[in-house]
Amino acid sequence: MSDETDSAMKEKSEHRFLNRIAEKSGNASAAPVLIVALGDSVTQGCAADGVMDPEHVYHNELKKMLEKRFPNSVFSVINAGCSGESLPGGVARLERDVLRHDPDLVIVGYGLNDACAGTADSASDFGALLSSMVKKIRESNGADVILLTPNMMITHDNPAVAEKWRKSVGLFIGKQTDGTLDAYAAEIRRADADVADVYAEWKRMENCRVDTTLLLSNGINHPNADMHRMAAEKIMEVVEGWK
């Protein structure tokens, strides 16, 4: 461990995640530091239509970054992503797929499917449910929680869209361009938890005239490997800010 890391870990932190990193770094027989990533198809690791990419999914990229940053600790990640799921599904699975594992850090990534099934006006209901989930996680075991804002979705038709999704292209474009997904991202920022603001970075790129649709591996809503890595970097920024 570097001198900087060692110094940062000497004092007890208010964050369970950092305390567990310090514990494992100083005691090889301690349990590994446990992260659970709960979310939709992006968290599951879905890439191009029908293709999984577990190597480059953001939480695996995060694991590699953490291992480099804290080489004397050991990290385990449970992938609790579920393709096609929205936030109520995550709430229903919370006990089985998250809380029973007693995680040190929970990463929550929803909003894409919620926005597609909702409207800008219904985003507040999503926000209330998300806040209640965060509260339940904290009350269960004191785990740290990081919320991810979603990536952007398709803004124009493109050849990467699989034929079976072509009839839905207008829906996805509409939810991205009419402010609906913006509203859901805003609700995530309002929740009582630290936020890795992935959506803000996508919007910044769009404002710099980047064609963000070309960064979607399925042409609709699955970020490519580079953008998964960007999400991991945003999470690391949150973790580094805790020290």
Side-chain angles (χ1 to χ4, degrees), residues 17-33:
F17 187 58
L18 295 185
N19 290 330
R20 288 287 296 111
I21 292 173
E23 178 188 11
K24 184 61 179 175
S25 296
N27 179 8
S29 65
V33 182

Side-chain angles (χ1 to χ4, degrees), residues 208-230:
C208 291
R209 300 187 182 279
V210 173
D211 186 349
T212 55
T213 294
L214 300 182
L215 303 176
L216 299 168
S217 58
N218 67 344
I220 299 174
N221 58 2
H222 295 161
N224 65 19
D226 288 341
M227 299 310 285
H228 270 283
R229 182 170 179 80
M230 181 272 285

Side-chain angles (χ1 to χ4, degrees), residues 114-127 174-187 190:
D114 303 88
C116 285
T119 65
D121 290 338
S122 66
S124 59
D125 294 332
F126 168 86
K175 296 298 181 178
Q176 179 60 67
T177 58
D178 69 1
T180 300
L181 191 56
D182 295 52
Y184 278 78
E187 287 296 328
R190 292 189 186 102

Side-chain angles (χ1 to χ4, degrees), residues 38-44 46 79-86 93 110 113:
L38 177 68
D40 52 31
S41 56
V42 175
T43 296
Q44 186 176 347
C46 297
N79 184 344
C82 180
S83 180
E85 187 174 76
S86 54
R93 295 190 294 117
Y110 287 102
N113 298 318

Side-chain angles (χ1 to χ4, degrees), residues 85-104:
E85 187 174 76
S86 54
L87 180 59
V91 171
R93 295 190 294 117
L94 189 63
E95 179 60 42
R96 186 195 72 183
D97 292 349
V98 179
L99 300 183
R100 74 181 180 93
H101 299 295
D102 192 24
D104 302 303

